[in-house]
Amino acid sequence: SHDALRLRDGRLVDISTCPLGRMPGQVLLFRDVTASCAMQALLSRHQRLVTMGEMVASLAHQIRTPIASSLLYLSHLRSARMDEAARGRCLEKIRSCLAHLEGMVGDMLQFARGGQMGDEIIAVSALVNDLELLLRPQLGAHDCEFVIRDDSGGKCVYGSRDALLSVMQNLVVNALQAIAEARGKEADGPGRLELRAATRDGKTGRETVCLVLRDNGPGIPPEIQAHVFEPFYTTKSQGTGLGLAVVKAIVAAHNGAVWLDSKPGGGTTIGIELPVHHEA
Ligand SMILES: Nc1ncnc2c1ncn2[C@@H]1O[C@H](COP(=O)(O)OP(=O)(O)OP(=O)(O)O)[C@@H](O)[C@H]1O
Ligand SMILES: [Mg+2]
């Protein structure tokens, strides 16, 4: 059997006992494991920092939008002759952008410290609802049909609600851009987006929740598919190519996986799979 003992001077000693067979008594083995434990901690910290490097790139991407919006609202405040009510709404928008930023930075800090990403228990249905509220205005502007099928059956996932929302937002924005691009070339019917939430038994027997987004855009050629999750890979003149890299990093931090299924001309289906949270 194994036991660990912390000495008063801070050293960590591993104690193992071993009976002497037929003889009475037992062997006690003391091993100073201070160094190897420190090494292990250092290693896992190093791994976190590597992922953190990828996260920093994604963070820059994520904070840009709320900062740009805040600046825009600020300039409204300065220039326009606004009444008190409009001024109040503008200030509220700025406040909510800043609160969003603060939350995001908080998530990243927690991740850097080695914690999980967020510690919320999130009902998948609530996540889907929030997403719809967030996206409706955008979708309206794009004249795109948006269908939601929520078969998540009351299941929950564990992590950061804001981070998961930004994952789904990234995927929807990509789909909308793809649909808009296809329409620029040839008008082949209205845009259509379908979001499905479902549960399924994961490969290792644990139950997962899938969030699957399907679009009827132009699809992705195989040679491009191989690169879409790489940071800074983009086919758009205005893209930073961080969208899907962020998606992958956040989903990985939630112990989940991302998959992609697309054929040129056949639209794109992209899904994230997250472990179901079971109450302890
Ligand atoms: N739904 C989709 N349909 C067609 N192509 C897609 C779709 N989603 C992603 N892609 C392709 O994958 C590439 C990478 O996507 P990603 O979101 O990482 O970056 P981006 O959208 O180009 O830029 P950013 O998201 O940083 O503004 C895109 O440039 C595009 O070529
Ligand atoms: Mg994108």
Side-chain angles (χ1 to χ4, degrees):
S1 77
H2 275 268
D3 261 312
L5 189 72
R6 172 78 65 186
L7 300 185
R8 205 175 300 163
D9 65 5
R11 274 182 302 161
L12 197 63
V13 177
D14 178 87
I15 310 165
S16 44
T17 57
C18 177
L20 278 177
R22 257 173 274 151
M23 311 271 275
Q26 44 185 321
V27 178
L28 279 179
L29 194 66
F30 294 90
R31 218 153 44 96
D32 186 337
V33 291
T34 318
S36 74
C37 276
M39 193 56 148
Q40 286 238 320
L42 203 70
L43 252 177
S44 81
R45 184 175 144 76
H46 179 73
Q47 266 155 9
R48 272 203 316 280
L49 286 178
V50 169
T51 320
M52 194 61 199
E54 289 155 17
M55 281 286 196
V56 167
S58 34
L59 184 63
H61 180 64
Q62 299 290 325
I63 64 179
R64 220 167 158 196
T65 315
I67 288 179
S69 311
S70 305
L71 288 174
L72 192 70
Y73 289 123
L74 265 179
S75 70
H76 282 336
L77 277 181
R78 289 181 91 184
S79 66
R81 267 170 269 121
M82 285 180 164
D83 59 33
E84 266 316 299
R87 198 167 283 275
R89 280 196 298 277
C90 223
L91 283 171
E92 171 53 27
K93 291 259 169 53
I94 295 173
R95 193 207 57 77
S96 103
C97 283
L98 290 178
H100 180 70
L101 281 172
E102 194 198 17
M104 207 150 41
V105 171
D107 277 347
M108 297 291 159
L109 281 177
Q110 196 176 11
F111 183 76
R113 281 191 211 109
Q116 265 264 347
M117 199 193 224
D119 56 358
E120 298 159 84
I121 296 168
I122 310 148
V124 177
S125 300
L127 192 70
V128 170
N129 268 336
D130 287 349
L131 186 70
E132 193 187 359
L133 283 178
L134 215 67
L135 289 173
R136 274 293 166 209
Q138 235 166 320
L139 290 159
H142 274 79
D143 179 31
C144 178
E145 190 188 355
F146 188 36
V147 184
I148 295 179
R149 250 180 76 193
D150 180 8
D151 298 322
S152 62
K155 297 290 181 190
C156 294
V157 294
Y158 184 77
S160 159
R161 176 184 155 282
D162 277 351
L164 290 176
L165 271 177
S166 83
V167 161
M168 296 313 293
Q169 236 181 319
N170 263 311
L171 299 183
V172 169
V173 168
N174 276 348
L176 288 176
Q177 287 170 344
I179 288 170
E181 184 210 356
R183 277 177 157 185
K185 285 180 190 143
E186 71 256 21
D188 50 353
R192 189 184 150 87
L193 260 185
E194 191 185 300
L195 174 67
R196 227 195 122 196
T199 60
R200 95 166 139 189
D201 292 323
K203 285 184 200 91
T204 50
R206 27 162 236 179
E207 202 182 11
T208 59
V209 170
C210 302
L211 288 162
V212 180
L213 189 76
R214 178 204 297 270
D215 68 57
N216 68 345
I220 311 175
E223 64 274 17
I224 290 184
Q225 272 182 47
H227 301 288
V228 291
F229 291 106
E230 291 167 11
F232 305 111
Y233 180 86
T234 181
T235 58
K236 301 166 192 171
S237 53
Q238 301 288 324
T240 60
L242 282 173
L244 289 181
V246 176
V247 164
K248 199 174 164 184
I250 292 177
V251 171
H254 284 81
N255 299 316
V258 193
W259 53 263
L260 177 73
D261 182 17
S262 179
K263 273 194 286 290
T268 298
T269 305
I270 190 158
I272 68 170
E273 199 165 338
L274 301 166
V276 165
H277 176 78
H278 295 285
E279 291 301 336

